[in-house]
Amino acid sequence: MTRREIIKLFEASGLALTPSRPLTLFTQYNNKMDKKEFEVIIIGGSYAGLSTAMTLGRSLRETLVIDAGKPCNQQTPHSHNFLTQDGSTPKEISEIAKSQVTKYDSVRFYDGLAVSGKRSNKGFEITTSKGDIFTAKKLILATGIKDLMPDIKGFSECWGISVVHCTYCHGYEIRNKKTAIIANGERAFHLSSLVNNLTKEITIITSDKKDFDENQLAKLKQHNIQIIEKEISEIKHQNGQLEKIVFKDGSTEIFECAYASIPFEQNSNIPKELGCKLTENGHIEVSFMQKTTEEDIFACGDNSTMMRSVSMAVSSGTITGAMVNHELTQENF
Ligand SMILES: Cc1cc2nc3c(=O)[nH]c(=O)nc-3n(C[C@H](O)[C@H](O)[C@H](O)COP(=O)(O)OP(=O)(O)OC[C@H]3O[C@@H](n4cnc5c(N)ncnc54)[C@H](O)[C@@H]3O)c2cc1C
């Protein structure tokens, strides 16, 4: 049954139509679907995955999007720097995207977690946590990354609200505020140079001042950027709004916001399981056209780039969709 047929059924039942009702119904129907074979499976249905799905849907490709529904930015109240959606909530952006992709009948959605993947005579076999198995000729990984929260009380509650990772996403909103930069060495120095254009009240909080060379220390001094060499024990906050940083020696310092550089890991083990090479930084290695090191496997979005943003995820998704469609076309033409 197509999405349009489901909406018609829904309307015939006399229930009020809302933008989300047909979509929910469609998703529920798809979860019970008996279709198991596709041309393409996309694991991850956030910005990168949906963007890929739109391109493939518009190319009439039988596509399955498997999504666990946990994008990395879900805690941030507003998303910025994405044209036409500047200041929207992350959910608003993905809901509009999903409702638009749902229009393409060849794209199906499955709510759930893909837990393993292997090659088969049909291309790939993907198994979900509910035990469903789907196959496809091409596999697209749009799985994102997981930020690893440091062991600091209050940190994760402030993440994306008043403790942020990116000047382009949130810097404008926290301009001219008393700002901490929680990072070490090169990363702290680089962030300071960017943040210096947004506020003049900057303090770097680092575990080791010796990570800076003489030139860097001179530059930081020239711009009146303070350095605190102490370990943080807690971030005091009100509903995610940073109020003060507490150090392990018991001292405190008042701040209004912070930038933090924290480690990450891949959200999914499937890329590794299928032999995709990772870069030194831990991203999936991809070519200019989003191809991984493994035949017929593509990756897009945060899992394969340092340029982390909604616009980049959407852009790499579009490239991936076009490249996968191109390969399928060449194979069948
Ligand atoms: C706190 C924070 C705030 C941000 N603010 C901004 C901002 O203001 N502006 C901006 O442009 N960018 C912002 N970003 C960056 C932006 O959110 C990311 O670049 C973008 O979400 C990447 O999209 P993606 O589709 O690659 O991954 P994600 O959006 O992280 O989505 C990955 C999806 O894949 C699913 N998934 C993963 N593994 C599996 C699996 N095995 N099976 C099924 N599903 C799976 C996940 O559940 C999730 O739905 C922010 C990031 C963070 C962390």
Side-chain angles (χ1 to χ4, degrees), residues 44 46 48 67-68 70 72-73 79-80 112 114 143 169-170 301-302 309-310:
S46 179
D67 186 38
K70 290 193 177 133
C72 62
N73 61 349
S79 177
H80 290 279
T143 40
C169 299
H170 306 288
D302 276 10
S309 72
V310 174

Side-chain angles (χ1 to χ4, degrees), residues 122-138:
K122 290 189 173 135
F124 297 95
E125 197 176 285
I126 303 297
T127 306
T128 73
S129 58
K130 294 173 209 155
D132 291 310
I133 297 173
F134 300 101
T135 63
K137 291 177 202 149
K138 305 276 178 190

Side-chain angles (χ1 to χ4, degrees), residues 273-313:
E273 221 174 84
L274 287 166
C276 298
K277 214 169 143 188
L278 299 188
T279 66
E280 256 181 36
N281 293 332
H283 291 108
I284 301 171
E285 191 175 309
V286 287
S287 71
F288 183 57
M289 291 299 165
Q290 305 300 139
K291 275 185 87 135
T292 69
T293 50
E294 287 296 306
E295 205 53 33
D296 298 321
I297 308 180
F298 292 71
C300 52
D302 276 10
N303 65 13
S304 46
T305 182
M306 281 167 69
M307 302 297 286
R308 194 180 191 191
S309 72
V310 174
S311 57
M312 294 303 289

Side-chain angles (χ1 to χ4, degrees), residues 160-173:
I161 301 170
S162 60
V163 177
V164 299
H165 74 295
C166 163
T167 53
Y168 302 105
C169 299
H170 306 288
Y172 184 84
E173 283 63 43

